[in-house]
Amino acid sequence: MTGPLKVALLGCGTVGGAVLRVLQEQAGDLGARVGRPVEVAGVAVRRPSHHPDVPAHLLTTDAHGLVTRDDVDLVVEVIGGIEPARSLMLAAFEAGKSVVSANKALLADDGVALHAAAAKAGVDLYYEAAVAGAIPILRPLRESLVGDQVFRVVGIVNGTTNYILSRMAETGAGFGEALAEATELGYAEADPTADVDGFDAAAKAAILASLAFHTPVSAADVYREGIATVTATDVARAAEIGCTVKLLAICERVAGNGDGESVAVRVHPAMIPTSHPLASVGGAFNAVFVEAEAAGQLMFYGQGAGGEPTASAVLGDLVAVARNRVTGAPGPGVTGYANLAVRPMAETPTRYHVSLDVADKPGVLAAVAQEFAQHEVSISTVRQTGRGDAATLVLVTHSAPDAALSATIAALREMPAVRGVTSVLRVEGLS
């Protein structure tokens, strides 16, 4: 068979429009890379009148009819959301079509079932664009590192929050002021909830963990905190100890206490040393830091969002899937053989940086240290700044179960000698 491969495009917004443009402008090069011509069979949209630049004969409102057409070979889904995207993907698989998607929410919510449906149909499901835009990270985890043991994946995977925290560090602004600037510049949506509350990063963390640890992980398994409570004081305290604050997606393999290994997956703001590779990732850029047994430390960096960068990842998957179609066999799928338990956040070992507004009198430090000891939390460093009414204790703990650290903070808030707990952030990467 030597005819063209036909692509059904679901959605023609910022990403879909960029995909369509490149498919048309670079058709010759893409065809040469695939080994067969690649053509657009149709573009499914809700309102065809909103897409005057798309040839009218390609537009349709019948997305289901498009993905099940006999002449369609591949489906590109960039409409987002859970439905109708899930139903359309399943219909495409049943009709024997491979799918390329950028749908992080759907893959994080129902990836196991979708992969099973694709495997049953003998077709591909690729979704590099679902995490970190143009940055190639999912395929390295799924293919390049499949012979290695990945221990940890830590990423800045949301550009909006990274821009906000970067501006807070650069200018001393508070969260609200930095968010307003991000909104004005187009980095934040009118409703920024998915970004600033960590939902977007949590979906991406679930996908990263599933691939890195060969274990089904859904967004519901991911502990999540956003950045709305990060203050200018938090950022200043971080700078005082040579750190910066980032919203991190942290996926790690955790050794058990006689009960085997487990997986801990969390999204929250954290202080990291300015010497850490992720600390220099500024603005709306993304980066993912991987630690593996044989490969050691790897860093993936680039533009994490936007029409053109995301379209680059979609088209990379499209070429890979098209090549598989030409050879007549699907590419490597994901594996969930390890099926490790997901460790609750309360049991996950973390470290805290704590600033306390305290009474400047003898015995206060000893009383504070005793409270940590009662909860079996070891203190790594402690220092006092200021005197009298301006006295502040700044402590960094050693690693301990997060529940113990949280309980310590709750107890400190009740101590008469502690006028206030002014800053609490987790710490990553400090020796």
Side-chain angles (χ1 to χ4, degrees):
M1 185 175 179
T2 57
L5 289 170
K6 296 294 188 70
V7 178
L9 179 61
L10 307 182
C12 198
T14 301
V15 176
V19 170
L20 178 62
R21 180 184 60 76
V22 176
L23 275 172
Q24 293 174 327
E25 292 179 357
Q26 300 183 20
D29 285 342
L30 292 173
R33 295 167 195 165
V34 169
R36 293 248 301 272
V38 178
E39 296 180 359
V40 178
V43 181
V45 295
R46 286 186 296 174
R47 294 179 290 271
S49 61
H50 288 201
H51 304 276
D53 295 334
V54 180
H57 72 279
L58 293 178
L59 292 170
T60 178
T61 58
D62 183 8
H64 186 274
L66 177 62
V67 302
T68 56
R69 266 172 43 182
D70 290 342
D71 64 328
V72 167
D73 298 287
L74 315 171
V75 174
V76 174
E77 182 275 310
V78 287
I79 56 178
I82 304 302
E83 288 292 354
R86 173 166 36 201
S87 297
L88 292 171
M89 280 194 194
L90 292 173
F93 296 147
E94 291 175 5
K97 326 292 186 183
S98 291
V99 174
V100 171
S101 176
N103 197 329
K104 57 185 174 290
L106 178 55
L107 269 299
D109 184 68
D110 208 23
V112 172
L114 291 171
H115 278 294
K120 180 179 179 182
V123 295
D124 288 316
L125 171 59
Y126 280 27
Y127 43 92
E128 185 67 63
V131 178
I135 303 171
I137 180 61
L138 301 190
R139 197 170 302 156
L141 288 175
R142 182 163 62 176
E143 299 177 22
S144 305
L145 294 171
V146 72
D148 206 342
Q149 178 92 307
V150 176
F151 295 129
R152 204 161 189 259
V153 180
V154 182
I156 296 170
V157 293
N158 182 272
T160 300
T161 52
N162 200 52
Y163 179 85
I164 291 170
L165 292 173
S166 295
R167 292 300 292 163
M168 291 175 70
E170 293 162 2
T171 67
F175 168 77
E177 184 181 347
L179 172 60
E181 180 181 330
T183 303
E184 182 179 353
L185 293 174
Y187 291 121
E189 301 288 344
D191 180 0
T193 302
D195 294 323
V196 301
D197 286 354
F199 289 100
D200 175 84
K204 295 169 181 175
I207 294 170
L208 289 169
S210 297
L211 293 176
F213 307 127
H214 309 281
T215 291
V217 178
S218 72
D221 296 319
V222 181
Y223 175 82
R224 175 188 54 79
E225 286 182 20
I227 66 167
T229 59
V230 176
T231 66
T233 298
D234 292 326
V235 176
R237 293 293 186 210
E240 289 173 0
I241 62 168
C243 289
T244 190
V245 180
K246 297 292 185 183
L247 181 72
L248 299 179
I250 303 171
C251 316
E252 54 192 350
R253 188 187 297 264
V254 182
N257 296 319
D259 56 352
E261 289 186 317
S262 59
V263 171
V265 191
R266 48 199 165 101
V267 167
H268 55 69
M271 295 182 180
I272 56 173
T274 54
S275 58
H276 193 285
L278 289 175
S280 62
V281 179
F285 278 78
N286 283 193
V288 181
F289 190 72
V290 178
E291 298 177 57
E293 181 176 4
Q297 297 179 337
L298 305 169
M299 177 82 162
F300 301 82
Y301 169 83
Q303 295 189 60
E308 299 293 331
T310 307
S312 172
V314 170
L315 289 160
D317 276 350
L318 188 148
V319 169
V321 169
R323 285 171 172 169
N324 295 340
R325 192 81 175 188
V326 170
T327 60
V334 301
T335 59
Y337 74 90
N339 203 30
L340 300 174
V342 178
R343 178 165 295 201
M345 185 61 187
E347 301 173 14
T348 298
T350 59
R351 301 179 68 186
Y352 276 21
H353 174 283
V354 184
S355 295
L356 305 175
D357 182 5
V358 298
D360 187 11
K361 60 183 182 181
V364 171
L365 176 57
V368 168
Q370 180 62 26
E371 199 62 65
F372 278 88
Q374 286 182 355
H375 291 89
E376 299 183 346
V377 175
S378 175
I379 297 173
S380 172
T381 63
V382 60
R383 62 190 175 91
Q384 179 176 327
T385 63
R387 299 186 64 82
D389 291 341
T392 298
L393 280 181
V394 180
L395 306 98
V396 177
T397 74
H398 286 295
S399 182
D402 197 76
L405 289 160
S406 295
T408 305
I409 300 303
L412 291 171
R413 295 185 193 277
E414 301 300 320
M415 290 181 63
V418 176
R419 292 192 290 258
V421 179
T422 58
S423 175
V424 178
L425 274 179
R426 294 181 181 86
V427 180
E428 296 291 327
L430 281 180
S431 58

